[in-house]
Amino acid sequence: VQLQASGGGLVQAGESLTLSCTVSGNIVSPNVMGWYRRASGTQREPVARFVTTGSGSEKTSYEDSVVGRFTISRDNAKRTMFLHMNILKSEDTAVYYCGAHDLRNLKMYWGQGTQVTVSS
């Protein structure tokens, strides 16, 4: 399984940005797939994720500070996951990673990070 993230950049506060993550290989259910970030001097934290159970039901989960501003989506046909980020704030500045956690086989896969910098 490989994940390839892209779309980071430098934006001003209040602007929008969309990150993309292309997934190759198969992730079985149950799994958690989504976006994480690590700001300078902090640990990596989840931002927005799809949580899929073994029966195939799915829900989304968001970190409190991004609720109402960020939206996670995916195009299964293109095997691509997106993070739509609106009303960006300086505190959103971080390296963003896409990740896939295979809960059945207890394996975690990471894409390379993409830098998002929000200037105030």
Side-chain angles (χ1 to χ4, degrees):
V1 176
Q2 292 185 329
L3 294 86
Q4 181 76 30
S6 63
L10 171 64
V11 296
Q12 293 188 339
E15 293 184 339
S16 300
L17 199 62
T18 295
L19 305 181
S20 301
C21 176
T22 301
V23 181
S24 61
N26 293 316
I27 305 290
V28 298
S29 300
N31 65 69
V32 178
M33 297 183 65
W35 293 93
Y36 302 74
R37 67 186 179 188
R38 179 163 56 200
S40 178
T42 70
Q43 293 186 336
R44 184 158 45 191
E45 64 174 4
V47 176
R49 297 176 292 178
F50 291 108
V51 180
T52 302
T53 68
S55 63
S57 64
E58 179 183 283
K59 66 176 183 180
T60 54
S61 174
Y62 293 92
E63 196 269 330
D64 288 347
S65 70
V66 308
V67 171
R69 300 189 299 121
F70 290 12
T71 303
I72 189 171
S73 67
R74 60 185 168 189
D75 183 332
N76 289 326
K78 296 182 179 179
R79 303 179 66 84
T80 303
M81 185 167 57
F82 303 96
L83 182 65
H84 308 279
M85 303 184 292
N86 297 314
I87 317 175
L88 282 160
K89 304 177 181 180
S90 57
E91 50 263 44
D92 295 319
T93 294
V95 178
Y96 284 71
Y97 301 87
C98 54
H101 193 179
D102 176 348
L103 297 176
R104 179 184 298 183
N105 298 304
L106 303 180
K107 293 183 177 179
M108 187 72 193
Y109 305 95
W110 293 105
Q112 88 291 0
T114 184
Q115 176 71 46
V116 173
T117 303
V118 184
S119 64
S120 57

